[in-house]
Amino acid sequence: MKTISFLVLGLAVVGFMYGQQKTPGKVITEFGATYTVNNPDFKTNTEHNFKVVFDVGRSFEDATKVNPLLETAARFINMHAAAGVPLQHIKVALVVHGNAANDLLNDNAYAVQHGGSNPNTPLLKALAEQNVQLILCGQTANYRKLTKEQLVPDIRIALSAMTALVQLQNDGYRLIHF
């Protein structure tokens, strides 16, 4: 037992000495913590425009936790702002479909399905405050019988996720799919 305790303690010390701690974001402070990467070999061109669309089509089993795929949008903003990219050069969109659509429900509609408030609501509000486009697939909404009134404010419904993804890519957004 002493050997295992010593090994765990040793690993913790090594992790503390050499590991990086997550840093809260300076733009979206409650979500999207990042790690500092000191002196990367592949340099970030802070003069580029970073236009990205995240294709989010799944959620996870624990309905009490934020969908980490949605939180990636906050991490993207925080990490690039910390690297020196001006906020006006960071444009982000989330296109949501499939079972991730439930993560866009307002607290009342979410409670009907999951028995509690939507943990994604504060994140979605923070993203909307940073002008992130929050887009729900209209095909998914209709298939799941979701109405605009059941959604968190600032969610826009598109004809389809496919349509939104093509249009955003035609407008220069780069696709990130999980």
Side-chain angles (χ1 to χ4, degrees):
M1 185 68 170
K2 285 184 179 181
T3 304
I4 292 173
S5 296
F6 183 72
L7 180 62
V8 170
L9 178 62
L11 289 173
V13 169
V14 169
F16 177 76
M17 290 172 49
Y18 296 103
Q20 292 287 325
Q21 296 296 318
K22 277 190 173 181
T23 304
K26 294 188 185 213
V27 178
I28 300 175
T29 57
E30 298 296 317
F31 301 97
T34 63
Y35 293 97
T36 301
V37 179
N38 295 314
N39 199 24
D41 297 323
F42 185 89
K43 303 295 183 193
T44 302
N45 185 337
T46 59
E47 295 177 14
H48 275 183
N49 286 315
F50 287 81
K51 293 173 76 173
V52 62
V53 54
F54 292 94
D55 178 7
V56 180
R58 61 189 169 103
S59 192
F60 297 86
E61 290 183 24
D62 190 344
T64 65
K65 293 185 179 175
V66 169
N67 182 335
L69 301 179
L70 297 176
E71 189 173 11
T72 298
R75 189 169 14 273
F76 184 89
I77 293 167
N78 286 335
M79 139 176 75
H80 288 90
V85 177
L87 282 177
Q88 65 267 26
H89 290 255
I90 303 171
K91 306 287 185 219
V92 178
L94 281 169
V95 174
V96 179
H97 56 94
N99 69 353
N102 290 336
D103 296 327
L104 304 183
L105 294 174
N106 64 34
D107 286 341
N108 291 335
Y110 198 84
V112 170
Q113 289 189 14
H114 301 288
S117 61
N118 185 346
N120 298 289
T121 300
L123 168 62
L124 295 168
K125 181 179 182 210
L127 291 171
E129 288 171 358
Q130 292 303 316
N131 299 311
V132 172
Q133 295 185 63
L134 305 170
I135 303 166
L136 174 61
C137 171
Q139 302 303 302
T140 296
N142 282 309
Y143 176 78
R144 295 178 178 272
K145 298 178 178 39
L146 301 177
T147 65
K148 185 90 168 151
E149 294 73 32
Q150 293 175 294
L151 303 175
V152 170
D154 299 309
I155 304 298
R156 296 166 47 202
I157 298 177
L159 173 62
S160 70
M162 295 176 287
T163 304
L165 289 168
V166 168
Q167 279 184 215
L168 287 163
Q169 289 176 87
N170 285 345
D171 290 340
Y173 283 74
R174 302 295 186 224
L175 176 65
I176 296 179
H177 176 75
F178 298 101

